[in-house]
Amino acid sequence: AQTVTQSQPEMSVQEAETVTLSCTYDTSESDYYLFWYKQPPSRQMILVIRQEAYKQQNATENRFSVNFQKAAKSFSLKISDSQLGDAAMYFCAYRSIGGGSEKLVFGKGTKLTVNP
Amino acid sequence: GAVVSQHPSWVICKSGTSVKIECRSLDFQATTMFWYRQFPKQSLMLMATSNEGSKATYEQGVEKDKFLINHASLTLSTLTVTSAHPEDSSFYICSATADYEQYFGPGTRLTVT
């Protein structure tokens, strides 16, 4: 079974600075999806970014980018120019491709605090 | 983008009663929906996968007789917590798939007194 590990329960960053959240995963599959989700205090889960494992190019969405290292099974999230609205829980998630399973496997999350 | 709604957003019920939570995909059809449970300051725990027109698939350790799931249409799945007890108090989140993405509902806070 696949597992996702987020080793940083909490992180903090100064407004306008850059922060990187870590995620590692374990799988024997060669093709899969990886996601970062944000859960603000409202508790609404919001998709931040998605990476397909077969793509070597790291995904980018505005101030959010990932460093995907397939061999190392690492998938970190970089938030540039941090804003107060970025404060939230961030969850890394894994999803298999094919096999009829669309289940997400979540890490335990990292709480990000943004200091003004 | 795809929108998923949940109703109610917050419900309080007495111990021993049943409560139903609805999950709707508002602007798309979802053959598969998922139900999660989230305890405070913890991650999402998948409870079951809901498939339209068939029985739900429950994760190991989830009591299927306690958490009844019905997916009667392509836009609606319901979770019924039967004979609720205080330990069932939690935050329940549903999601629905569209274009290979999972879109999440805003969640339902259940408090059992």
Side-chain angles (χ1 to χ4, degrees):
Chain A
Q2 294 80 24
T3 59
V4 176
T5 302
Q6 293 180 250
S7 59
Q8 306 153 316
E10 296 188 20
M11 291 283 284
S12 63
V13 63
Q14 290 296 126
E15 197 175 3
E17 297 294 309
T18 296
V19 65
T20 299
L21 308 184
S22 301
C23 173
T24 58
Y25 58 95
D26 189 28
T27 184
S28 58
E29 299 174 337
S30 60
D31 206 7
Y32 44 86
Y33 291 113
L34 295 166
F35 304 85
W36 278 99
Y37 284 91
K38 169 185 178 181
Q39 188 180 41
S42 68
R43 302 190 78 170
Q44 171 73 60
M45 294 287 284
I46 301 166
L47 176 65
V48 175
I49 202 163
R50 179 181 79 170
Q51 174 80 43
E52 290 92 342
Y54 65 87
K55 290 186 177 179
Q56 292 187 340
Q57 187 172 7
N58 289 322
T60 299
E61 287 290 342
N62 301 313
R63 298 183 294 107
F64 299 87
S65 61
V66 297
N67 183 2
F68 173 49
Q69 300 291 327
K70 191 173 183 179
K73 296 180 182 174
S74 171
F75 182 61
S76 61
L77 174 70
K78 186 171 83 171
I79 306 174
S80 303
D81 185 25
S82 296
Q83 300 176 359
L84 295 177
D86 295 333
M89 283 291 293
Y90 286 82
F91 294 99
C92 179
Y94 173 104
R95 201 189 90 198
S96 299
I97 292 179
S101 175
E102 299 172 330
K103 293 194 295 186
L104 288 171
V105 178
F106 285 96
K108 291 188 174 183
T110 296
K111 181 180 180 181
L112 178 66
T113 301
V114 181
N115 301 308
Chain B
V3 179
V4 176
S5 70
Q6 277 184 247
H7 178 80
S9 57
W10 192 8
V11 58
I12 301 173
C13 71
K14 292 184 182 286
S15 187
T17 63
S18 295
V19 61
K20 179 184 288 187
I21 302 169
E22 293 186 348
C23 177
R24 292 182 185 273
S25 55
L26 297 186
D27 49 2
F28 65 100
Q29 294 182 330
T31 56
T32 303
M33 292 184 175
F34 299 91
W35 287 95
Y36 297 87
R37 185 172 180 176
Q38 186 178 32
F39 291 103
K41 298 184 180 180
Q42 293 191 23
S43 187
L44 281 70
M45 180 191 78
L46 180 64
M47 299 174 65
T49 303
S50 170
N51 297 295
E52 187 268 337
S54 64
K55 291 184 178 180
T57 303
Y58 290 81
E59 295 298 303
Q60 194 171 13
V62 177
E63 298 177 62
K64 57 184 67 176
D65 293 333
K66 180 166 193 59
F67 299 99
L68 300 179
I69 291 172
N70 183 274
H71 194 156
S73 78
L74 288 172
T75 60
L76 173 65
S77 176
T78 60
L79 168 67
T80 301
V81 183
T82 63
S83 187
H85 291 286
E87 56 265 30
D88 298 324
S89 298
S90 191
F91 193 70
Y92 293 88
I93 304 173
C94 74
S95 71
T97 53
D99 297 330
Y100 305 105
E101 298 288 356
Q102 272 197 38
Y103 295 90
F104 289 82
T108 296
R109 183 182 304 278
L110 171 62
T111 301
V112 185
T113 61

